[in-house]
Amino acid sequence: GAPAADFSADQIEDFKEAFGLFDRIGDSQVAFNQVADIMRALGQNPTNKAVTEILGNPTADDMANKRLNFEAFLPMLKKVDSMPKGTVDDYVEGLRVFDKEGNGTVMGAELRIVLSTLGEKMSEPEIDALMQGQEDENGSVHYEAFVKHIMSV
Amino acid sequence: MLHSEFSRIPDHSSDTVALVQSLLDQVQSRLPCGSQHTIKAAVLIQRWYRQYVARTEMRRRCTWHIFQSIEYSGEQAQIKLYNFLGYLMDNFTPSSNERKLISHIFRENDVCRDAEWERYFCYKNIEVPEIYSGPHLTFPLTVEQAMGLVEAFRNKKQLHSRYILQLLLETWKLLRKLPNINRISTCQSKEITICGDLHGQLEDLLLIFYKNGMPSLEKPYVFNGDFVDRGHDSIEILIILFAFLLLYPSNVYLNRGNHEDHIVNLRYGFTKEVLTKYKMHGKRILKLLQKIFSWLPLATVIDQRVLVIHGGISDSTDLGIIARVDRHKVSRTWSDEEWSNSKFLQRRASMTYPKPFGTRSNFQNRSLQDFSDRIREKVEDEVELCRRRTLHLEEQNQNDENEQCVSIQSVNSDNAKEEWKQILDLLWSDPMVQDGCIPNEVRGGGCYWGPDVTEYFLNRHNLQLLIRSHECKQEGYEFCHNRKVLTLFSASNYYDVGSNRGAYVKLGPDLVPYMVQYQATSMTRELTVRQRFRSALKVLREQLFAHKSDLLSTFRVYDTENTGLINLSDWAEAVESVMHLGLPWRMLRSQLVTCKSSEGMISYYEWFNELTIKKPQTDHIDEGLIETLYRHRSTIETIFRIVDTDNSGFITIEDFRQTWKLLSIYLKMEITDEAISDLAVTIDSNNDGCIDIDEFMEAFRLTDKKSRLERGRSMFMGTATDLTKLEGDPNI
């Protein structure tokens, strides 16, 4: 397909500001293990695996201790940006997979199991936070509303 | 079918696991593409969820940042006010009108010997009525009475002013005997508990006592300052701390914080709290507290290895000097070298540094560049006049005592300066990441100190750890400088509900800090990050609106062609240059500017319309003046309360006028006599020549209208309806 459009100057300034907020030390750099979160804060949603690959498959030690500056970060962000992100519909479709009766709901319990055992597993507290207030009295989640709610942050 | 099976899952782990596994198999086997499809779906949800978390965390951090930067800029404004008042105090001659007002303002600091103070603070003629249902105290205090106080406050009772005064007098007596630096040890296997800022949040103190036990012979405590201001129960916290201090003087230690200062209290709510709860005797209580605060020790050292202080250190902090100062007398000195050699200064030094008498409130010493040229010119004339006058006086009037004072003081004025800086650094400084030591411009007092300064300081004094407070931390505590500095903050939910936890630390003989965290839960529903973010934005919008004229003129500088538009980068730069809050403006822009912008440009006139806060019914008053009032509302209220020397809540029209003249210098804007009259007329509706400060602030929507009794407590049968009795009740 067509190459992704470059970031505008304004966008780059925005990214730079956000990047600066993650710099805890004051050396204008961020730790490797912060990169995924900065990207997410900037509207991307890469898998952890994708970020690790882009960082060059660093060791656990590197992740904790190595740092990178904005100039090194920007092309990584670009790369992630060019990856398919997924729309609201994609997420609704993703959840529809678990909709056995085709009635717009999924079982909360089922969702919990899947999210904690498959893919990039989520921890129990993460899942609790995700599901909080979403299950009705039958333990069902109305997923279209669920998706809209989460995406509205 | 699956659903019914799920609904029968018992809450029993091993059964659940087996059942879950079988269900999972069933789930996967039913799908067209089998497990691949499921995994893909799971990954999609997980990615998107993690994005949600990251964005929420950004929001949370922004919210924090907003509240904190506004808090610190308030502190900075406070210090500027200090300096301004102090400068005026010292540089206007008795003949000028301003000087009259200022000396009127500070009348309370007139000479008064100890015996006179004792008479003033005497509680003996205060009667406790039969109907009073709060705690009664007899001295010396017993453990039961101290516990009784805690219990009473938990039940929202209020202690009678007679007992407060008695308690405070005993506390004053005790504090006068204490050294500047408490020295304690973890002998045998005693663990020492150290608490940070409490800021009037009684729930947190009660929570600490609940989790950790109350102070006792087996349970020593150190409280590291900032007991008062901002929270609603500052006086109750003080009462409890002082009661335990009197009970266990070798087991309870109090360090002074920067909020243990009566001018800070005028701004940040403690003064108001006391006057509201104690209408009859509040003034006396505050006066006595002023003395007590000045007598609070400055630091605590544990096992000669761990230093506990409220703020921090600087590259010149010297515990030797700190141990030697007369802590209750150390007050403002001058920084401007220009004046340091003048005889006028030395002469003044003796008069304002009266050894046998009480001391003035603590002002902090900063450069005089903040003030308008207008003042400087005027002052230079005045000083010259004074210089001639004092020289003349000196020749005429060789008073032995004065002479002695002058000669001592001319040597000591440098010492005084040094002492003041030492204490200021101790109470106001913050650690920073970089090496070095720079003035703390954000707070306006103390400095920022780096890891190299910590290293040097600890080595020099043979210490291994510095425990300090002063800064709110999300987890209630935070280590820095290679774990050599521990920040400890004990007021949970400080910025708003859910903003942070509180913490206290326990130190045993091994001196390894053991942290305990907590968070007070209130009756109110906990706010989500989104709600807190919105409330922070609301506060921020108000601040922006308050600076409308400055923002407008700054935008016009960028918008040379007068298009009414400004681009994003310029907007962010301009806003920061006016607001000085250090916030991520680009990130906040989409929340702060909702009017549509064309191609990355912001129409700023439209934006101001968006920001406009509904104005009160004061159409006859100049809009610019209203904006100024709004922006400086906190400072204005503080000045009013300073002028209101008898703490009655009223100031005369004449004082009101004089105050505005002063403010017009401070705010560097012309406020005409006519404008002042308009203001006065609006408020003094009953024409009795007096202005009610609270009404003034409310009339201009400068404060939220809230019941003045809201924070009062019932001393009687204890319901909210009884609060109405408190108005004008002479029994409290």
Side-chain angles (χ1 to χ4, degrees):
Chain A
D6 278 333
F7 292 130
S8 71
D10 267 344
Q11 282 177 304
I12 294 179
E13 285 303 306
D14 285 348
F15 300 154
K16 209 164 183 178
E17 191 189 59
F19 186 86
L21 292 176
F22 281 81
D23 169 14
R24 300 293 158 68
I25 291 186
D27 63 350
S28 302
Q29 298 187 87
V30 302
F32 272 29
N33 61 14
Q34 291 177 289
V35 171
D37 280 338
I38 305 177
M39 291 183 173
R40 287 168 183 141
L42 291 174
Q44 306 297 333
N45 62 353
T47 57
N48 291 333
K49 183 162 165 236
V51 176
T52 310
E53 275 171 11
I54 289 176
L55 284 169
N57 291 314
T59 63
D61 211 42
D62 286 344
M63 281 298 268
N65 297 321
K66 272 196 168 173
R67 298 173 72 71
L68 84 166
N69 63 20
F70 185 70
E71 284 63 45
F73 170 77
L74 198 53
M76 294 184 184
L77 183 66
K78 188 91 232 298
K79 196 152 182 206
V80 166
D81 187 54
S82 65
M83 289 160 48
K85 277 196 251 304
T87 59
V88 174
D89 290 337
D90 288 334
Y91 296 127
V92 172
E93 282 312 307
L95 280 164
R96 209 189 292 283
V97 162
F98 303 99
D99 181 0
K100 300 300 147 339
E101 294 173 10
N103 63 358
T105 67
V106 298
M107 283 305 298
E110 198 173 331
L111 209 46
R112 284 169 192 270
I113 295 165
V114 166
L115 293 176
S116 61
T117 54
L118 300 181
E120 298 199 322
K121 298 172 193 168
M122 284 167 65
S123 66
E124 207 179 297
E126 280 185 304
I127 297 178
D128 282 340
L130 172 67
M131 305 290 284
Q132 187 173 45
Q134 298 305 315
E135 288 158 291
D136 66 17
E137 58 277 4
N138 302 318
S140 301
V141 176
H142 298 255
Y143 53 85
E144 275 199 60
F146 181 39
V147 170
K148 292 221 169 78
H149 159 75
I150 297 289
M151 302 271 278
S152 67
V153 171
Chain B
M1 209 190 325
L2 252 180
H3 300 167
S4 56
E5 280 166 340
F6 267 105
S7 64
R8 277 192 274 116
I9 295 177
D11 197 9
H12 197 282
S13 344
S14 55
D15 286 349
T16 315
V17 167
L19 199 55
V20 153
Q21 194 52 58
S22 83
L23 286 166
L24 195 58
D25 293 340
Q26 288 182 59
V27 162
Q28 291 180 353
S29 65
R30 276 162 210 250
L31 298 168
C33 307
S35 57
Q36 266 310 310
H37 203 106
T38 319
I39 291 175
K40 219 171 146 209
V43 168
L44 199 56
I45 296 168
Q46 288 157 346
R47 279 167 61 184
W48 137 64
Y49 170 71
R50 290 191 166 113
Q51 180 196 49
Y52 164 71
V53 167
R55 298 189 73 166
T56 303
E57 174 59 18
M58 275 307 295
R59 288 282 158 93
R60 193 205 56 76
R61 224 176 286 155
C62 272
T63 305
W64 179 278
H65 207 145
I66 290 172
F67 282 130
Q68 187 174 68
S69 57
I70 291 177
E71 176 188 21
Y72 288 175
S73 96
E75 283 186 352
Q76 195 192 110
Q78 179 66 11
I79 299 252
K80 281 195 184 145
L81 178 63
Y82 259 15
N83 299 334
F84 175 69
L85 294 173
Y87 176 82
L88 290 177
M89 259 297 266
D90 303 311
N91 292 294
F92 281 84
T93 59
S95 59
S96 74
N97 281 333
E98 284 88 347
R99 188 61 172 91
K100 271 202 209 110
L101 173 67
I102 295 160
S103 60
H104 167 67
I105 288 175
F106 296 106
R107 217 169 36 205
E108 64 198 50
N109 298 299
D110 280 349
V111 160
C112 195
R113 297 179 191 278
D114 272 353
E116 289 170 6
W117 284 127
E118 304 246 323
R119 227 178 301 135
Y120 178 67
F121 295 137
C122 190
Y123 57 87
K124 294 198 176 117
N125 52 359
I126 301 177
E127 280 201 25
V128 180
E130 288 224 1
I131 195 179
Y132 167 70
S133 64
H136 296 266
L137 297 182
T138 59
F139 289 81
L141 284 179
T142 61
V143 177
E144 290 74 33
Q145 288 188 77
M147 306 277 195
L149 281 172
V150 175
E151 208 40 46
F153 294 152
R154 193 199 306 275
N155 295 321
K156 311 258 186 272
K157 297 269 182 206
Q158 204 170 298
L159 182 65
H160 198 279
S161 47
R162 179 202 171 97
Y163 299 130
I164 294 188
L165 284 168
Q166 215 174 340
L167 178 77
L168 293 181
L169 278 170
E170 293 298 313
T171 307
W172 186 28
K173 259 195 265 176
L174 173 64
L175 287 176
R176 291 202 297 242
K177 298 190 210 140
L178 296 180
N180 297 343
I181 303 182
N182 297 314
R183 290 184 184 273
I184 61 183
S185 74
T186 59
C187 48
Q188 293 138 30
S189 53
K190 266 201 244 181
E191 267 185 330
I192 299 179
T193 308
I194 304 160
C195 299
D197 294 24
L198 288 166
H199 281 300
Q201 296 188 190
L202 183 62
E203 319 80 62
D204 287 305
L205 184 59
L206 295 178
L207 194 46
I208 294 172
F209 284 169
Y210 176 72
K211 288 173 81 80
N212 194 53
M214 297 207 227
S216 69
L217 293 172
E218 287 73 46
K219 199 146 279 192
Y221 270 83
V222 178
F223 293 94
N224 200 14
D226 278 12
F227 317 122
V228 303
D229 279 332
R230 297 181 135 248
H232 298 173
D233 301 312
S234 300
I235 189 70
E236 280 75 25
I237 289 190
L238 284 182
I239 293 169
I240 292 176
L241 295 183
F242 292 156
F244 280 109
L245 174 68
L246 290 171
L247 254 185
Y248 303 116
S250 316
N251 278 272
V252 173
Y253 297 91
L254 306 180
N255 287 344
R256 188 176 187 181
N258 62 311
H259 277 260
E260 274 71 57
D261 173 317
H262 85 294
I263 297 236
V264 175
N265 298 151
L266 282 167
R267 189 187 200 106
Y268 286 103
F270 180 49
T271 306
K272 212 170 181 178
E273 180 192 323
V274 173
L275 293 176
T276 305
K277 288 178 179 171
Y278 294 96
K279 294 212 181 311
M280 188 84 183
H281 300 111
K283 301 173 294 194
R284 246 189 267 189
I285 293 173
L286 287 169
K287 258 279 151 21
L288 188 41
L289 278 169
Q290 209 177 310
K291 299 198 161 303
I292 286 177
F293 285 164
S294 74
W295 274 106
L296 283 170
L298 300 169
T300 299
V301 175
I302 303 175
D303 287 353
Q304 301 176 74
R305 287 277 170 276
V306 177
L307 175 66
V308 186
I309 46 183
H310 176 73
I313 56 174
S314 73
D315 52 3
S316 57
T317 299
D318 182 339
L319 291 182
I321 297 180
I322 291 180
R324 286 193 302 267
V325 304
D326 274 336
R327 67 180 184 274
H328 70 295
K329 281 190 195 156
V330 177
S331 67
R332 179 186 177 281
T333 54
W334 298 263
S335 73
D336 195 334
E337 305 304 346
E338 232 183 284
W339 307 114
S340 63
N341 296 323
S342 75
K343 208 155 185 203
F344 167 76
L345 187 75
Q346 288 166 4
R347 183 79 192 171
R348 300 276 293 149
S350 73
M351 282 155 63
T352 54
Y353 203 102
K355 285 241 165 220
F357 310 128
T359 183
R360 262 200 288 123
S361 50
N362 297 336
F363 291 125
Q364 186 253 341
N365 186 32
R366 299 278 291 169
S367 90
L368 302 169
Q369 290 148 8
D370 293 342
F371 307 121
S372 70
D373 294 333
R374 210 180 107 195
I375 298 182
R376 191 164 281 271
E377 279 166 0
K378 200 171 180 168
V379 164
E380 277 166 295
D381 290 345
E382 304 272 6
V383 166
E384 195 45 48
L385 213 56
C386 262
R387 197 191 303 247
R388 285 187 228 131
R389 251 188 243 150
T390 54
L391 283 174
H392 183 62
L393 265 175
E394 260 197 349
E395 285 158 26
Q396 278 192 334
N397 199 354
Q398 290 293 330
N399 185 317
D400 273 346
E401 194 181 30
N402 275 344
E403 205 177 56
Q404 201 178 35
C405 274
V406 166
S407 56
I408 292 173
Q409 294 321 318
S410 58
V411 168
N412 283 347
S413 68
D414 279 338
N415 283 348
K417 232 195 277 191
E418 175 63 33
E419 288 175 0
W420 181 238
K421 180 182 190 300
Q422 289 279 333
I423 294 188
L424 204 70
D425 289 341
L426 224 53
L427 265 40
W428 284 83
S429 300
D430 290 315
M432 65 175 174
V433 169
Q434 301 89 344
D435 279 345
C437 188
I438 53 177
N440 192 329
E441 298 291 349
V442 172
R443 303 250 199 192
C447 66
Y448 286 119
W449 88 90
D452 56 336
V453 177
T454 297
E455 192 65 36
Y456 175 71
F457 177 81
L458 292 178
N459 286 337
R460 184 170 164 214
H461 292 95
N462 233 320
L463 300 164
Q464 71 190 50
L465 175 65
L466 184 60
I467 298 180
R468 44 90 63 174
S469 301
H470 198 41
E471 279 183 297
C472 183
K473 295 292 177 191
Q474 204 199 343
E475 293 301 315
Y477 73 95
E478 192 176 270
F479 282 97
C480 66
H481 295 189
N482 299 318
R483 291 187 79 89
K484 299 250 175 80
V485 174
L486 169 62
T487 300
L488 185 61
F489 199 81
S490 301
S492 66
N493 305 322
Y494 182 60
Y495 288 127
D496 57 36
V497 179
S499 68
N500 64 290
R501 298 156 109 170
Y504 57 90
V505 64
K506 300 183 74 80
L507 275 185
D510 58 0
L511 297 181
V512 171
Y514 172 70
M515 318 298 311
V516 179
Q517 294 167 296
Y518 54 85
Q519 192 155 15
T521 49
S522 52
M523 293 304 220
T524 60
R525 190 175 50 93
E526 209 179 278
L527 299 172
T528 62
V529 173
R530 197 174 299 170
Q531 286 166 316
R532 280 163 33 213
F533 186 52
R534 275 210 272 270
S535 99
L537 288 174
K538 177 164 175 286
V539 170
L540 193 52
R541 274 191 216 103
E542 283 169 12
Q543 291 285 312
L544 287 166
F545 177 67
H547 288 81
K548 178 175 160 181
S549 338
D550 282 350
L551 284 169
L552 200 53
S553 52
T554 312
F555 288 159
R556 288 204 188 112
V557 168
Y558 286 89
D559 179 20
T560 46
E561 317 232 329
N562 230 335
T563 59
L565 299 173
I566 186 170
N567 74 42
L568 223 48
S569 295
D570 290 343
W571 177 85
E573 220 174 81
V575 171
E576 176 58 25
S577 74
V578 169
M579 305 299 292
H580 296 296
L581 292 173
L583 291 172
W585 296 106
R586 299 187 72 103
M587 182 149 288
L588 294 170
R589 180 197 48 87
S590 60
Q591 306 289 334
L592 293 172
V593 185
T594 53
C595 55
K596 279 216 170 84
S597 49
S598 50
E599 307 145 3
M601 301 292 279
I602 296 175
S603 159
Y604 50 89
Y605 287 106
E606 255 189 75
W607 184 48
F608 284 127
N609 284 339
E610 202 183 294
L611 283 180
T612 298
I613 297 175
K614 251 177 88 173
K615 277 177 263 183
Q617 299 296 7
T618 47
D619 292 328
H620 57 293
I621 298 187
D622 174 58
E623 194 184 306
L625 183 57
I626 298 280
E627 188 191 309
T628 304
L629 291 185
Y630 192 79
R631 184 194 322 191
H632 297 282
R633 57 200 187 281
S634 186
T635 298
I636 288 169
E637 183 171 359
T638 307
I639 291 185
F640 279 154
R641 296 204 184 276
I642 294 177
V643 172
D644 174 24
T645 43
D646 63 354
N647 290 326
S648 61
F650 290 89
I651 61 174
T652 64
I653 294 265
E654 197 38 50
D655 280 346
F656 180 81
R657 270 193 231 286
Q658 292 289 349
T659 307
W660 281 108
K661 293 229 152 79
L662 220 67
L663 276 169
S664 69
I665 300 175
Y666 178 68
L667 302 175
K668 297 177 203 164
M669 71 178 270
E670 280 300 319
I671 303 179
T672 62
D673 280 345
E674 207 191 313
I676 295 173
S677 294
D678 285 343
L679 285 173
V681 154
T682 310
I683 298 311
D684 180 21
S685 46
N686 64 350
N687 254 328
D688 65 351
C690 272
I691 290 180
D692 181 324
I693 299 174
D694 280 322
E695 270 183 42
F696 180 85
M697 298 304 290
E698 282 160 12
F700 290 96
R701 298 273 180 85
L702 301 182
T703 56
D704 287 322
K705 198 162 188 165
K706 50 169 83 110
S707 161
R708 281 172 242 160
L709 300 174
E710 185 191 65
R711 291 170 180 188
R713 261 104 147 275
S714 174
M715 285 172 59
F716 306 103
M717 296 315 157
T719 62
T721 53
D722 287 340
L723 286 175
T724 51
K725 284 191 211 154
L726 289 177
E727 181 114 88
D729 192 318
N731 289 328
I732 301 168

